[in-house]
Amino acid sequence: MTMQAHQASPPNPSAQTDAGPRRAPPVASTGVLGWLRANLFNTWYNTLLTALIIWLLAQVIPGLVSWLFTSAVWTAEDAGVCRAAEGACWAFVAEKWRFILFGTYPYEQHWRPTVAMLVVIVMLLASADRRFWGKPLILIWGAGLGIAALLMFGGVFGLDYVDTNRWGGLPLTLTLSVVGLALAFPLGVLLALGRTSNLPVVKALSVVYIEAIRGVPLISILFMASVMFPLFLPQGMTIDKVLRAQIGLILFAAAYLAEVVRGGLQAIPKGQYEAAEALGLSYWQRTRLIILPQAMALVIPPLVNTFIGFFKDTSLVIIIGLLDLLSTAKAALTDPAWRGFYKEAYLFIGLIYFAFCYALSRYSMYLEREFNKSRKR
Amino acid sequence: MAQATEARSPVRTGPPKRGISLNDPMVRSVLWQILTAGLVGLIAWYLISNTMENLARQSISSGYDFLDRPAGFQIGEQLVAYGPADSYARAFLVGLLNTLKVAAIGIVLATILGTLVGIARLSTNWLVAKLSAGFVEMIRNVPLLLQLFLWYGLLTEGLPGPRQAMEPVPGVFLSNRGLKIPGPAEDPAWFWIMAAFGVGVLATILLSRWNRARQQRTGQVLPMGWIGTGLVVGLPLLVLIAFGGAALDMPALQGFNFTGGLTLTPEFAALLFGLVVYTSAFIAEIVRSGILAVSHGQTEAARALGLSEGKVLRLVVLPQALRVIIPPTTSQYLNLTKNSSLAVAIGYPDFVSVANTTINQTGQAIEGVASIMAVFLTISLALSFLMNWYNTRIALKER
């Protein structure tokens, strides 16, 4: 019995040294000192690098802190105070933030885009929670987007009608990206199915579409939307500028989403397709019930990354003259009284873009860990 | 039960039926395809007929005849001679060369910077790892166009005018008109220096081949790094000394601007800098994941052989990581090339901006957009062909 127990337990190296008193590890390998030794000064070249970086940081940081905070101007009646000061002119942002955020949307109606944005952001946050995933979410999104559209357009319930030409700033950026993704997504799934289908004509059409869109810059598609769409339509029929840009963005995003979804479709084992076929399900039944749910779960992290890219790409609509967040910041700079504070303007909207994209990228990492749990052993 | 089965698939029971049934997968597939093709054809016909009608009404002649007409606009920078009297075709060529120039230089620099940052993220030095991680997060989460505007602002508004230009080294001027450096003047010495450089490169290639063959035979290695540098840098230097120097075209302030010398315009610098920084953050992540994909045992084995850290990286880790790195990096190269079209926003005359001006002047929207698409599709295809060829070359050879 004792023999067996001895064999079962793993050999214990500390058993031999048990005779002497336990000694604490040397000071140099624990605590702050130990951490410093292990992470900053572990080799001679790391010591050199650390010294170099600390020297560089010492050169840069005091100036940066001074420019950003201590000698910055926070409030000012006019730009003269800012020009006299050494630091950043946050008074510029204080003066222009409403224009940068809302563009030319009627000033006294700014509460409407604010509430619409809050609705969208709350829906985005709710969609991030896996407990809400499913059919109700689609209904919530339908209702939420309806409310947001109602608030933005107005024209009923005593709200003034606001033309899309007057939309701008963050609401426009969010509209273009959220509506763009919502509509590009089903199109992308269809294209991915088309590309993986065994019908040669459907497949060829999908491949040509996806490759042609992915091979050209987004700008050329936006140019097409702004200068060629009017030519495509019969005489007398016009679509407004925002809608044209939106269509261009949807056509663009669909091609990229299609490739992500295709990755998921190809990762599904062939047995799943065969099993679904053996059950006698039709093509649409097996796609909807068996294949797509599995494929989607596989590609959610890369999908989120595509969303981030798309959110950033909507800033390109400035080139065809739409007043999105980047354009309003640029337009605010053209005010002769406040010229030259471009660093403050770009830092301000850069921070907004960063907040959205960083949150999304963290979320994508979290999802990746969540979805890998089942595959970890 | 049997009846139901029979009703659902009558083809399977009894002798093969000659008729056409909607339940036949073949028939259905043909029907689906006719339906899709018909739908797409219908939409295309509708759009094209509308377009033809609109063009006829606005009396815009379609076709590429406009290419021969004089363009009439200036282009800020050019690699081949161009003036406003030259044709639109010539203007397109100038724009295309500008696109290729910024893309080619950008790809090289972004690869170098991206690799460095990617390796730095894995450094055992906490500060280096955290700083490079912060760099990657900051750059990746802000739109490229915003970054381009910021760099352009810093280069044009942040720098002094030509009269107050900074002169860090005599003959080099930094102002809001760009960076001015001395260029080569007309002097036969330059030809011989270039020739010496070519000889140096050729000799280095031949010598390194011979060196590799010798290593296979005898195991002995020449210090190729030093010899190569000596040949490539030393030979032109010797020629320079032999000629007693070569004439330079020095930039000089005349009136309100500089004349002479070589110029790096703020537009080109801002675009190049923005593209390189932005793409390098993405390449850094690819490089990092590629290095992490190399199993730890390989690194340990290489260390156990007594290789230095540099050699472990260069001889063992990187060659294996490259197989993971190359395909996604190819897409980053394509992205950089496509993103160079943002030049239009800061006034660098790339192909898109030249085509855009042409569209505005001639109204030839379809031809203009079509040529932009054709140019970028060609570049994309060529680039991915090249990278795929490289990828198969370095792929794992399994026998």
Side-chain angles (χ1 to χ4, degrees):
Chain A
M1 192 60 208
T2 39
M3 266 300 270
Q4 263 181 337
H6 193 242
Q7 270 178 342
S9 71
N12 185 1
S14 67
Q16 275 122 19
T17 54
D18 263 359
R22 271 179 189 278
R23 268 179 295 175
V27 182
S29 64
T30 57
V32 179
L33 210 63
W35 184 88
L36 283 177
R37 272 188 82 131
N39 292 300
L40 295 180
F41 306 102
N42 50 352
T43 56
W44 66 267
Y45 56 83
N46 267 346
T47 309
L48 204 69
L49 262 177
T50 305
L52 191 73
I53 288 174
I54 289 177
W55 178 79
L56 271 177
L57 289 179
Q59 299 291 305
V60 175
I61 287 182
L64 206 62
V65 169
S66 154
W67 186 80
L68 279 173
F69 305 109
T70 46
S71 41
V73 178
W74 298 89
T75 50
E77 283 298 305
D78 61 282
V81 187
C82 278
R83 292 191 206 286
E86 291 276 297
C89 181
W90 299 121
F92 168 80
V93 175
E95 171 83 15
K96 297 284 183 193
W97 69 272
R98 282 188 68 161
F99 177 73
I100 293 176
L101 281 187
F102 299 109
T104 54
Y105 204 89
Y107 191 83
E108 61 285 354
Q109 305 278 327
H110 279 182
W111 64 271
R112 279 161 55 183
T114 311
V115 176
M117 279 195 301
L118 285 179
V119 169
V120 169
I121 289 172
V122 166
M123 286 195 304
L124 286 173
L125 288 177
S127 319
D129 194 328
R130 286 183 67 188
R131 280 171 302 175
F132 291 126
W133 289 7
K135 281 212 181 89
L137 200 60
I138 298 173
L139 294 176
I140 294 172
W141 268 94
L145 284 181
I147 295 171
L150 194 81
L151 281 167
M152 288 299 288
F153 279 109
V156 281
F157 304 127
L159 294 171
D160 292 336
Y161 175 72
V162 179
D163 194 71
T164 51
N165 284 333
R166 302 201 63 179
W167 294 17
L170 189 56
L172 182 62
T173 295
L174 281 178
T175 306
L176 289 175
S177 40
V178 171
V179 175
L181 284 173
L183 295 180
F185 191 70
L187 186 58
V189 172
L190 279 182
L191 281 167
L193 290 174
R195 193 170 182 165
T196 49
S197 97
N198 44 22
L199 311 177
V201 174
V202 176
K203 186 173 178 168
L205 283 172
S206 311
V207 169
V208 168
Y209 177 84
I210 293 171
E211 293 305 329
I213 298 283
R214 276 164 31 100
V216 300
L218 173 55
I219 294 200
S220 64
I221 293 173
L222 288 175
F223 279 155
M224 195 165 92
S226 78
V227 297
M228 276 166 73
F229 276 2
L231 288 177
F232 287 161
L233 297 172
Q235 191 184 2
M237 190 173 147
T238 52
I239 5 177
D240 79 21
K241 217 158 81 175
V242 174
L243 187 58
R244 269 183 284 163
Q246 183 75 82
I247 294 173
L249 286 171
I250 291 169
L251 293 178
F252 174 79
Y256 282 80
L257 291 174
E259 283 299 270
V260 177
V261 175
R262 177 167 77 114
L265 290 176
Q266 287 178 346
I268 306 293
K270 197 136 176 51
Q272 295 285 325
Y273 287 90
E274 288 166 349
E277 248 170 287
L279 286 175
L281 298 179
S282 78
Y283 174 80
W284 291 110
Q285 277 174 327
R286 57 178 191 264
T287 302
R288 191 166 55 83
L289 298 171
I290 313 277
I291 305 302
L292 269 185
Q294 296 186 66
M296 283 311 176
L298 281 175
V299 294
I300 282 176
L303 271 181
V304 177
N305 289 336
T306 314
F307 292 174
I308 298 176
F310 184 69
F311 180 70
K312 288 187 294 172
D313 280 342
T314 54
S315 62
L316 265 60
V317 296
I318 187 177
I319 287 164
I320 55 168
L322 255 52
L323 270 181
D324 77 320
L325 189 57
L326 184 54
S327 327
T328 50
K330 219 167 181 296
L333 288 169
T334 57
D335 181 351
W338 293 91
R339 274 190 67 92
F341 299 110
Y342 62 95
K343 280 178 256 166
E344 291 84 349
Y346 294 148
L347 274 180
F348 175 59
I349 61 161
L351 220 59
I352 298 177
Y353 275 111
F354 184 83
F356 276 97
C357 296
Y358 188 71
L360 266 175
S361 82
R362 288 283 123 176
Y363 178 62
S364 145
M365 282 179 199
Y366 155 80
L367 282 180
E368 208 153 336
R369 273 198 308 276
E370 282 286 298
F371 283 116
N372 279 335
K373 269 185 190 161
S374 62
R375 258 164 274 146
K376 262 199 189 119
R377 269 155 231 265
Chain B
M1 186 62 207
Q3 233 176 0
T5 321
E6 210 169 320
R8 212 181 297 151
S9 52
V11 190
R12 297 220 182 120
T13 54
K17 214 171 131 187
R18 289 249 157 231
I20 293 172
S21 155
L22 263 184
N23 286 334
D24 185 345
M26 270 303 285
V27 175
R28 279 216 280 200
S29 108
V30 169
L31 269 181
W32 264 110
Q33 299 194 57
I34 291 173
L35 205 71
T36 322
L39 197 68
V40 171
L42 212 67
I43 295 172
W45 173 80
Y46 176 72
L47 296 180
I48 290 172
S49 66
N50 277 337
T51 309
M52 300 303 270
E53 214 172 285
N54 284 325
L55 287 179
R57 204 179 51 254
Q58 296 169 17
S59 58
I60 299 173
S61 60
S62 56
Y64 284 90
D65 295 339
F66 71 96
L67 282 178
D68 298 329
R69 297 209 299 269
F73 56 86
Q74 276 288 359
I75 294 182
E77 43 197 298
Q78 56 233 14
L79 289 171
V80 291
Y82 169 84
D86 281 317
S87 65
Y88 280 113
R90 187 89 181 165
F92 274 18
L93 177 69
V94 172
L96 175 62
L97 289 177
N98 280 341
T99 292
L100 291 176
K101 178 172 98 175
V102 78
I105 302 176
I107 283 174
V108 172
L109 294 181
T111 311
I112 297 171
L113 184 61
T115 312
L116 286 178
V117 175
I119 293 173
R121 277 203 73 172
L122 294 169
S123 166
T124 51
N125 187 320
W126 184 84
L127 265 178
V128 174
K130 288 294 159 191
L131 278 179
S132 39
F135 167 82
V136 169
E137 287 295 347
M138 220 163 65
I139 297 297
R140 285 206 313 169
N141 288 321
V142 173
L144 172 60
L145 196 54
L146 173 56
Q147 297 182 31
L148 286 181
F149 283 147
L150 186 61
W151 299 131
Y152 188 59
L154 286 173
L155 284 175
T156 51
E157 300 196 34
L159 289 174
R163 281 166 174 277
Q164 292 84 37
M166 292 191 265
E167 198 176 356
V169 186
V172 174
F173 296 96
L174 190 61
S175 71
N176 59 13
R177 302 291 172 88
L179 180 70
K180 282 276 179 185
I181 53 166
E186 293 226 3
D187 189 336
W190 288 112
F191 171 77
W192 292 108
I193 289 173
M194 285 313 292
F197 177 75
V199 169
V201 170
L202 201 70
T204 309
I205 293 171
L206 291 176
L207 201 64
S208 70
R209 279 201 177 170
W210 176 79
N211 181 40
R212 210 171 300 148
R214 194 174 83 126
Q215 190 188 1
Q216 301 260 317
R217 269 200 326 274
T218 65
Q220 282 170 318
V221 206
L222 288 174
M224 271 318 292
W226 293 109
I227 296 176
T229 319
L231 282 171
V232 174
V233 179
L235 272 184
L237 218 63
L238 278 179
V239 176
L240 185 70
I241 294 167
F243 270 90
L248 283 175
D249 183 13
M250 299 295 277
L253 187 66
Q254 263 188 3
F256 291 105
N257 208 347
F258 290 97
T259 53
L262 294 177
T263 318
L264 188 69
T265 62
E267 289 80 21
F268 178 75
L271 181 64
L272 182 67
F273 199 68
L275 286 175
V276 166
V277 168
Y278 188 74
T279 314
S280 75
F282 289 87
I283 292 182
E285 284 300 278
I286 295 168
V287 168
R288 184 176 72 105
S289 66
I291 291 175
L292 286 178
V294 177
S295 76
H296 201 62
Q298 293 281 330
T299 325
E300 286 172 339
R303 286 206 188 114
L305 285 175
L307 294 181
S308 70
E309 281 302 307
K311 279 193 170 168
V312 171
L313 198 64
R314 197 160 50 85
L315 298 174
V316 179
V317 177
L318 275 185
Q320 299 186 66
L322 268 183
R323 296 188 187 122
V324 184
I325 290 172
I326 295 294
T329 307
T330 306
S331 350
Q332 288 308 322
Y333 289 173
L334 293 176
N335 279 347
L336 186 145
T337 311
K338 282 185 283 171
N339 283 338
S340 75
S341 62
L342 295 184
V344 73
I346 55 169
Y348 173 74
D350 77 323
F351 187 80
V352 174
S353 111
V354 170
N356 191 32
T357 311
T358 306
I359 292 174
N360 288 338
Q361 282 190 1
T362 60
Q364 306 276 6
I366 298 174
E367 291 81 359
V369 173
S371 34
I372 294 175
M373 293 189 161
V375 159
F376 276 95
L377 278 177
T378 314
I379 297 177
S380 299
L381 285 177
L383 205 57
S384 47
F385 177 77
L386 204 72
M387 291 302 287
N388 283 336
W389 169 79
Y390 181 59
N391 193 32
T392 41
R393 243 188 65 129
I394 62 154
L396 187 61
K397 303 235 173 7
E398 283 173 310
R399 295 191 174 92

